[in-house]
Amino acid sequence: MRAARSSAVTAIAAVASLAAVSGCAEKSDAKGSDAIRITASDDACEVSRTTFPAGHVKLAVENKGSKVTEVYVYAPGDRIVTERENIGSGLKANITAEIKAGTYEIACKPGMKGHGIRQKITVTGGKTAKRNPKLDKAVADYRAYVQAQADETLPKVQEFVDAIKKGDLEAAKKAYAPSRVGWERTEPVAESFGDIDPKVDLREDGLAKGQKWTGWHRLEKSLWKAKKITAEDKKLADQLVKDLKDWQKRVGTADITPTGMANGAKELLDEVQTGKVTGEEERYSHTDLVDFEGNVDGAEKSYQLLEPVAAQNDPALTKDLDKRFAAVKKLLDTYREGDGFVSYDTVGQAKRKELSDAVNALAEPLSKLAAAVAK
């Protein structure tokens, strides 16, 4: 969940260092005339051109502020078209995205929180991006994957909710983490709608003023911290099913592109770095490693579907990504226990830094995948 960032930034510093977080951004010196330059600072978001043609768009971001920032391209309704998180102070990052004609907003978010500093942009009718048929297949296969993840999630959520409604605390705890796996694998697609994620996956410190807290983490707090199930919790459980059925119904309509898949894979690694490695995501249940695996699985799925084209265009990149994915998964395997993972509160700071370094080593080359498939 991306909404709660302020505490996550502080927590990351305790795990690794700001330099490690900043490393998630691609160190880029892109100065191509075809790139839209975005200069982010603590109080501004400057865009070199506010009108440009549709197609494969290159964004060259530079963070001149003192805070870690993130950059979003929003369609109307705050639907996320593309984004890049964890761009450290003084660093640059390249984003390649396929953007259709229309009106959008570019947002820079110093401190990685809030509504962001926004600039309106207009994308005019341009040439339709010529696409390798293999990429059309990748998109179709990924669309089937995200739908399958949603379809498989609902029965697991129902099991979790049924336990809550029966007042069975231990059964609800056991069902909690498995109910989240499909969501974690496909989170960028769910978040692209803008309105579902805050209902189901928001942490308490991410609440806007006056916003009611609903979803998994609200129930997580009741189960592990309050250690009791209330009548209100039972109502919230029903609401969770309702909201996730909305996600299940809508996920097949998501706007999916090859570059969107690639950028989504990078976003999932950012999720690991800013929420799972720090212990922020599952602060009461300490089931962070289950979410960690879900994010990595989802990122790897996108990569595997795009790999046939990426390997043609940039074989050195895919060779590196194969090695980096294997390293992260091998390290994660050392924390397995029974059918799941050890409780994350038993993982010390040195081990958390080891996980952070492995994720960071994967995230850097993964940030180049979109450019590789867009060649």
Side-chain angles (χ1 to χ4, degrees):
M1 172 64 210
R2 306 178 196 282
R5 286 301 186 206
S6 55
S7 60
V9 174
T10 302
I12 292 165
V15 175
S17 69
L18 187 57
V21 179
S22 302
C24 290
E26 179 185 348
K27 295 179 179 178
S28 165
D29 293 314
K31 297 178 181 178
S33 59
D34 59 338
I36 311 302
R37 294 183 302 280
I38 301 172
T39 305
S41 65
D42 294 344
D43 55 10
C45 186
E46 299 175 3
V47 180
S48 62
R49 283 184 283 156
T50 57
T51 301
F52 46 86
H56 284 132
V57 177
K58 298 177 183 178
L59 305 176
V61 183
E62 181 175 8
N63 181 9
K64 291 188 175 181
S66 63
K67 303 173 183 177
V68 178
T69 196
E70 54 191 12
V71 171
Y72 288 73
V73 177
Y74 286 117
D78 276 5
R79 181 177 62 81
I80 299 171
V81 176
T82 192
E83 64 177 292
R84 181 59 51 85
E85 300 181 358
N86 302 329
I87 306 171
S89 177
L91 288 189
K92 300 177 182 180
N94 281 344
I95 309 170
T96 300
E98 189 175 329
I99 305 180
K100 299 175 182 178
T103 57
Y104 301 87
E105 288 184 325
I106 290 177
C108 303
K109 296 188 178 183
M112 300 196 298
K113 60 181 180 179
H115 181 71
I117 304 164
R118 301 197 177 197
Q119 295 285 349
K120 294 183 183 298
I121 61 171
T122 300
V123 180
T124 60
K127 293 182 179 180
T128 303
K130 206 168 183 180
R131 184 179 292 175
N132 187 319
K134 291 181 180 179
L135 292 178
D136 288 328
K137 184 178 187 306
V139 168
D141 289 349
Y142 186 68
R143 189 178 298 280
Y145 171 75
V146 296
Q147 186 65 64
Q149 292 302 308
D151 293 344
E152 292 167 15
T153 293
L154 264 295
K156 294 177 182 178
V157 171
Q158 192 63 59
E159 182 179 349
F160 172 58
V161 167
D162 288 346
I164 289 175
K165 297 185 76 173
K166 290 175 183 175
D168 191 334
L169 189 70
E170 292 308 313
K173 285 183 175 181
K174 185 177 180 181
Y176 171 75
S179 76
R180 291 177 48 74
V181 172
W183 174 271
E184 292 293 337
R185 287 173 176 163
T186 60
E187 199 165 359
V189 176
E191 289 183 337
S192 71
F193 296 114
D195 60 334
I196 297 176
D197 184 81
K199 296 177 183 177
V200 304
D201 199 30
L202 192 66
R203 301 196 295 268
E204 189 171 15
D205 50 343
L207 291 170
K209 187 176 181 180
Q211 181 181 1
K212 182 180 179 180
W213 190 20
T214 61
W216 270 301
H217 294 304
R218 168 66 179 79
L219 294 167
E220 178 202 6
K221 185 176 182 180
S222 291
L223 296 175
W224 273 273
K225 188 171 183 180
K227 298 180 180 179
K228 63 180 181 180
I229 296 171
T230 66
E232 177 64 14
D233 291 331
K234 294 177 181 180
K235 292 179 182 178
L236 289 171
D238 282 335
Q239 185 64 44
L240 177 63
V241 172
K242 181 180 178 181
D243 291 333
L244 287 172
K245 282 183 177 178
D246 183 30
W247 163 58
Q248 179 189 29
K249 182 179 179 181
R250 293 163 62 185
V251 72
T253 69
D255 186 10
I256 297 173
T257 64
T259 55
M261 290 168 59
N263 289 326
K266 174 62 169 62
E267 290 160 26
L268 285 169
L269 267 291
D270 289 340
E271 285 286 318
V272 174
Q273 191 70 280
T274 60
K276 284 67 176 184
V277 169
T278 64
E280 288 286 297
E281 183 80 9
E282 306 290 358
R283 62 190 65 173
Y284 306 112
S285 65
H286 305 300
T287 56
D288 303 270
L289 291 173
V290 178
D291 290 357
F292 185 128
E293 182 180 47
N295 287 159
V296 172
D297 284 348
E300 186 176 37
K301 182 65 175 181
S302 290
Y303 165 61
Q304 288 172 340
L305 292 173
L306 296 169
E307 185 177 16
V309 172
Q312 289 178 351
N313 295 338
D314 194 340
L317 175 64
T318 55
K319 184 177 179 180
D320 190 25
L321 285 171
D322 287 340
K323 180 177 71 172
R324 300 296 181 184
F325 268 113
V328 169
K329 292 166 70 177
K330 183 178 179 180
L331 181 58
L332 187 59
D333 282 343
T334 65
Y335 295 96
R336 292 192 185 277
E337 184 177 77
D339 295 334
F341 292 91
V342 300
S343 180
Y344 199 59
D345 58 346
T346 67
V347 180
Q349 293 300 317
K351 292 294 186 181
R352 293 187 183 196
K353 185 178 186 303
E354 184 181 27
L355 286 165
S356 176
D357 289 345
V359 171
N360 198 49
L362 169 59
E364 194 281 326
L366 195 59
S367 69
K368 301 174 183 176
L369 181 60
V373 300
K375 285 183 179 179

